[in-house]
Amino acid sequence: EEGARREEEEEMRLAAARHDEEERRRAREEEEEEYRSDDDRGSLGYGSLPRPEEHFPADHSNTETVTNHRTVIQEENHVVPTADNAMEIDEWAEAVDPSIAPQVRNDDREDDDDHNHRLAVATAIAPDDDEPEYVYRAIEYDPEAKPPLHRNRRFRVYTYFALTLIAIVVVLVVVYITATSKDDEITIDYNRLQDPPSSSPTSNPITDREASGIIEQLEGGLLQRGDTFDAMTNDDPRLLGLDWILHHDDMMVQSDDVNLYQRYALALLAYALDSKAWWICGDPGADYEVEECEIEYWDNTTSRHGVWLSSVSECEWYGVTCSGDGVVRAVDLNTMDLVGTLPHELSALRFLQLLALPNNCIHGTIPPEIGKMNNLLSLELQGNGLSGEMPDEIYDLENLQLLNLASQWGEERTCLKSDNRTVVDIKYRNGGLGNAERGIVELEVGSGLTGALGPRVGVWRSMKGLYLNRNSFVGSIDEAIGNLRY
């Protein structure tokens, strides 16, 4: 707005100047016309001296200039003929008409006493049409305004100096870091050459993966009952699963990956149930190089799946189903010759909805931690060799729609472990294993699950299938079972 206001004022000044110029031009034309009339009447004529004083008002505030025997006064860019002093007037008058020169001198001498108020006498000249008329645009000057920084000489000098100083500092820092790093490398190499061998074996070096926080993450968020990896034996499935995550899994999950827990829990399940003994898709090879398996069905169709403990996504492993966001929702390994016990860390699969491991050689007890899998809808463990009391925590699975724990007693099934020597017979307690360590020579026949159906059975309001036959439950069935309306 300020700029627009200034432009408007400038245009008004220019219009006023053009108006004044037009008025003066008309006045000059009238004067010239008057002189022409005098010349016609026999006067001194156009361009003669002296000219009448009434046509030249005194104005001592203007600047006078003499050019080629014509003296002009600059008044707001307008040219008016004048004379500078008495001598020039005499010389001019004598050059124009010698007969009038004395008269001009006498008139000027009479006015010497009042020289400061004397009127200049000059001839009117016709404007030169060939000369361009320039009108300069005014620029407002602000004495307090400062020039831009990039035009400030002092600012440019300081800027160049600062940039030079920064460049020098950066170069020095780089040189220092490079020199220091080389010194450290030399020192390390020297120590390795000079240190004498230790008298006792040293511990295995810690790898980057082991120091990445994965161990601490799994111990703090997944292991149960206060267990730690340091207290485990080398053949513990939990320690074997950790070793696979750290050193053999090409996926190289990190401590903050969202699938760390579920990938480790499935690896733990594979080691706990001896995946290399499974009849399909469980053996990744000695170097974990096998990644796919092919299954042929009775109708001659085939399908390809990922092998357990391979480096492909756990969602591609055979029998594993994930939702669209990559979360494991189902594990179905029916009749796969699974051999072993259920790990209590299986509860890390907290979004699991289906756990189906029927008709295998699973022995031992049902871990109470299974009650933490509160999203479970279907639990199918029938046809195995489970024993012990059914845990009360199983009643915490209030969303269950199918619970099948039948046929844990009297099944005739044997499985061979991956060492090709150990045979598991689910007809016997604990699969017939571990009796020699307890001093038992004769195998103890299993009796299946024990316990009673207490009043908490009524929490399974969504239950649609409950199978508990061929076990060793005792007592009466609580009347709360009437709440199972399906």
Side-chain angles (χ1 to χ4, degrees), residues 337-379:
D337 288 344
L338 309 182
V339 183
T341 60
L342 294 175
H344 43 265
E345 286 81 8
L346 192 61
S347 60
L349 301 173
R350 56 194 182 95
F351 295 105
L352 199 66
Q353 296 177 331
L354 168 65
L355 179 61
L357 308 174
N359 305 316
N360 288 290
C361 293
I362 301 175
H363 54 85
T365 61
I366 298 177
E369 286 80 6
I370 201 170
K372 297 179 180 180
M373 305 172 71
N374 50 14
N375 289 301
L376 207 58
L377 301 177
S378 180
L379 178 60

Side-chain angles (χ1 to χ4, degrees), residues 205-220:
I206 298 177
T207 64
D208 293 338
R209 293 281 292 166
E210 293 172 351
S212 63
I214 294 177
I215 298 176
E216 293 78 8
Q217 186 72 268
L218 293 176
E219 280 186 345

Side-chain angles (χ1 to χ4, degrees), residues 184-332:
D184 292 343
E185 294 176 0
I186 294 174
T187 303
I188 292 173
D189 293 337
Y190 176 79
N191 290 336
R192 288 178 179 175
L193 293 175
Q194 297 297 326
D195 288 344
S198 59
S199 57
S200 60
T202 58
S203 59
N204 294 329
I206 298 177
T207 64
D208 293 338
R209 293 281 292 166
E210 293 172 351
S212 63
I214 294 177
I215 298 176
E216 293 78 8
Q217 186 72 268
L218 293 176
E219 280 186 345
L222 191 142
L223 293 184
Q224 307 290 331
R225 306 177 185 180
D227 295 336
T228 61
F229 291 112
D230 291 337
M232 298 176 186
T233 59
N234 292 335
D235 59 348
D236 192 306
R238 295 170 294 180
L239 192 60
L240 294 175
L242 175 65
D243 181 71
W244 177 79
I245 285 286
L246 293 177
H247 305 125
H248 302 290
D249 182 14
D250 290 341
M251 183 170 282
M252 304 289 286
V253 293
Q254 302 299 321
S255 60
D256 56 350
D257 287 343
V258 294
N259 66 329
L260 172 64
Y261 284 177
Q262 69 179 23
R263 192 168 179 84
Y264 172 78
L266 292 177
L268 168 58
L269 184 65
Y271 282 108
L273 300 181
D274 197 3
S275 67
K276 291 186 177 182
W278 301 355
W279 75 276
I280 52 172
C281 301
D283 187 3
D287 296 326
Y288 302 93
E289 72 279 3
V290 181
E291 294 187 348
E292 287 188 348
C293 60
E294 184 176 270
I295 300 177
E296 184 176 355
Y297 300 98
W298 61 271
D299 58 353
N300 295 327
T301 60
T302 60
S303 62
R304 302 187 67 84
H305 304 273
V307 176
W308 282 64
L309 297 179
S310 65
S311 296
V312 300
S313 171
E314 64 272 16
C315 294
E316 300 179 18
W317 292 356
Y318 175 78
V320 178
T321 302
C322 294
S323 55
D325 55 356
V327 177
V328 176
R329 301 290 184 176
V331 176
D332 186 358

Side-chain angles (χ1 to χ4, degrees), residues 16-68:
R18 287 193 293 269
H19 178 73
D20 293 342
E21 174 65 19
E22 183 66 20
E23 292 295 330
R24 289 182 175 84
R25 185 183 63 78
R26 291 177 180 176
R28 286 197 300 271
E29 290 178 354
E30 293 177 357
E31 292 172 359
E32 293 171 0
E33 183 66 25
E34 183 177 354
Y35 288 135
R36 292 190 183 96
S37 300
D38 293 340
D39 187 52
D40 294 339
R41 292 193 299 268
S43 61
L44 292 177
Y46 178 75
S48 300
L49 291 177
R51 295 179 59 187
E53 295 180 357
E54 60 269 22
H55 297 293
F56 294 89
D59 187 356
H60 301 286
S61 61
N62 299 320
T63 303
E64 299 177 356
T65 306
V66 178
T67 306
N68 296 331

